Amino acid sequence: MTVKVRRQRPRRRVFWALVAVLLADLLALSDTLAVMSVDLGSESMKVAIVKPGVPMEIVLNKESRRKTPVIVTLKENERFFGDSAASMAIKNPKATLRYFQHLLGKQADNPHVALYQARFPEHELTFDPQRQTVHFQISPQLQFSPEEVLGMVLNYSRSLAEDFAEQPIKDAVITVPVFFNQAERRAVLQAARMAGLKVLQLINDNTATALSYGVFRRKDINTTAQNIMFYDMGSGSTVCTIVTYQMVKTKEAGMQPQLQIRGVGFDRTLGGLEMELRLREHLAGLFNEQRKGQRAKDVRENPRAMAKLLREANRLKTVLSANADHMAQIEGLMDDVDFKAKATRVEFEELCADLFERVPGPVQQALQSAEMSLDEIEQVILVGGATRVPKVQEVLLKAVGKEELGKNINADEAAAMGAVYQAAALSKAFKVKPFVVRDAVVYPILVEFTREVEEEPGVHSLKHNKRVLFSRMGPYPQRKVITFNRYSHDFNFHINYGDLGFLGPEDLRVFGSQNLTTVKLKGVGDSFKKYPDYESKGIKAHFNLDESGVLSLDRVESVFETLVEDSPEEESTLTKLGNTISSLFGGGTTPDAKENGTDTVQEEEESPAEGSKDEPGEQVELKEEAEAPVEDGSQPLPPEPKGDAAPEGEKATEKENGDKSEAQKPVVFRALVTRFGFR
């Protein structure tokens, strides 16, 4: 008996050791399931998480607050974030960076760079000749780009989320202003890569707010369209959005709620910060008046004193939103001199009178882009901290002509909650109730190219063509294919922004260059020499505007077609075996498979831009690809033909083959010309 017992003990130990290993593996797997969202505002950020067993929840920072200032203090060997950095702003204003998101994706000659320098003269901005952008020069040894500073903030936000979730987090959805263009969106993605975050999506903050509103009011959405206007005035900017909620039928899950962005209007510089800067200037003038006879220096020349005044202006703005007057006071403002002065709401409104006149502007822009009237809007809902200013509400209420403004949404946290719901929906670890989101393109994108035409025998001229790729307020994500049918040699084409006439002159200067990139194709002529006996179907460029609103050119390829004899009786054994295996794994042509498969590419003819009509016979077609998910935007190359044998390729559409013999089927194969991305 003793021997038997001794023999069983090692077996039990091995068994429990295996169980422990399996449990450890399961725990390690569960430790990577949490996802997060970052609502990145100009002044503060809100972080939210979803993890197994915990619904959507706002992350508390180290001070147990639900929002964290977007401020970074950089020293030689130390970095401070959030509230710690905010307290350092008084002691070391030069090394304390804030509102740096306004410089993302901006070249040195952009008006917003000059505006930032005027608002915060304590910061030294240096020119980067390679990128044509600016750096923050903290010291002779320390300089950082705005993207690097944002990367630090995103890394800090992840540390807050991981501490709160008690597990590592890599997947995130980050909010960006709807008016961010391609350069600004790519700057945010670059910052996220520096922070080691995997960005599931860049979601527009107005879309995230609309999603949060719809998710929590799912029961109120029916087949009747409801038009809701969200007016979001934050610290740095103002955005007005018109959203349509409606139940729609989807292939995957039947009837589901949907939100569609119908109209967008914005003002890049209208927000609470500009009001605070006006108040700061007013308080600085009062302090100088009090010390006029003492031959004192101008308080505006003292960065520490101006940092104190800006903090007091922020507090004063908040207090005056609820009170008619208040006493502004700062102990030891400059040269150990205290400051105390009375400020009234009337004075504040007079200081910002021209700002309040701009409040209705985004409303009119949103209505124009949606081609709607105010009568079609059921409710106007306030979002953003600056909408708490009474005068803003008064002017807005008069502009929209409603009885009251909706305040039934958390103005500070709605975007963070909507973004984290989208993060859970995109993550493979969670299953949430579907909510269809149809975002809209704010800036149209087109393709421009020039080619030589022969108007008369021996007379050649250059003709400039434009083709709209993604139209304004069109939905995305979306894929498009443009086919060039008149080229048999190497050529170039330009990808530019389309008509930006809806932007004012100042906004156009801030927007920057309207050229996205120039694509130079090489190898086009070689592909035609390589396949002289095949019929050319043109040069096809495949574009993708993904969920983050970022444009990419997946590939450019030359397509040829030929006819080959195909006898059904001579089907090889390998083909039969391949078909059998395909049907076993759902690759057959059963009705269910057809219903759930990728849609056929739909052809969508785009009318040429004004002044660039095609002459008879010219065919530059624009096609819309089916919205199938793609992992990395690239696809494997097709095998090249050996000798006279054409490789198996894409099938032509039934409409093209309807009048051809069954024994003669066109085989389409693609010869790759080149692939390009955007930098």
Side-chain angles (χ1 to χ4, degrees), residues 397-531:
L397 187 62
K398 184 178 180 181
V400 299
K402 303 295 182 182
E403 294 182 0
E404 61 180 357
L405 299 172
K407 302 176 184 178
N408 51 348
I409 193 172
N410 191 320
D412 291 323
E413 300 176 0
M417 297 300 283
V420 80
Y421 187 90
Q422 185 71 353
L426 294 174
S427 172
K428 298 178 181 179
F430 302 95
K431 187 176 182 180
V432 300
K433 292 183 178 179
F435 203 110
V436 183
V437 178
R438 291 175 62 84
D439 216 324
V441 177
V442 175
Y443 306 120
I445 298 174
L446 53 80
V447 172
E448 297 188 42
F449 56 96
T450 303
R451 70 175 186 83
E452 190 178 77
V453 296
E454 186 176 1
E455 297 179 353
E456 298 178 8
V459 179
H460 296 269
S461 63
L462 294 178
K463 181 183 177 184
H464 190 71
N465 298 273
K466 293 182 180 181
R467 294 293 176 272
V468 176
L469 201 59
F470 300 100
S471 58
R472 173 163 160 78
M473 301 315 297
Y476 77 86
Q478 193 175 171
R479 296 177 181 274
K480 287 289 182 69
V481 180
I482 185 169
T483 304
F484 302 92
N485 284 328
R486 286 296 190 96
Y487 287 96
S488 58
H489 57 275
D490 297 355
F491 67 99
N492 304 339
F493 62 87
H494 308 278
I495 305 173
N496 300 329
Y497 289 104
D499 182 13
L500 301 179
F502 58 93
L503 296 178
E506 184 63 27
D507 287 330
L508 278 175
R509 286 193 291 270
V510 172
F511 188 86
S513 173
Q514 295 187 32
N515 172 251
L516 281 167
T517 191
T518 298
V519 180
K520 299 180 179 180
L521 298 182
K522 295 182 179 180
V524 179
D526 294 340
S527 68
F528 278 83
K529 293 177 183 177
K530 193 173 184 180
Y531 309 107

Side-chain angles (χ1 to χ4, degrees), residues 149-163:
V149 180
L150 179 58
M152 299 175 195
V153 172
L154 291 176
N155 187 54
Y156 177 68
S157 72
R158 184 177 67 171
S159 68
L160 293 178
E162 289 179 340
D163 291 344

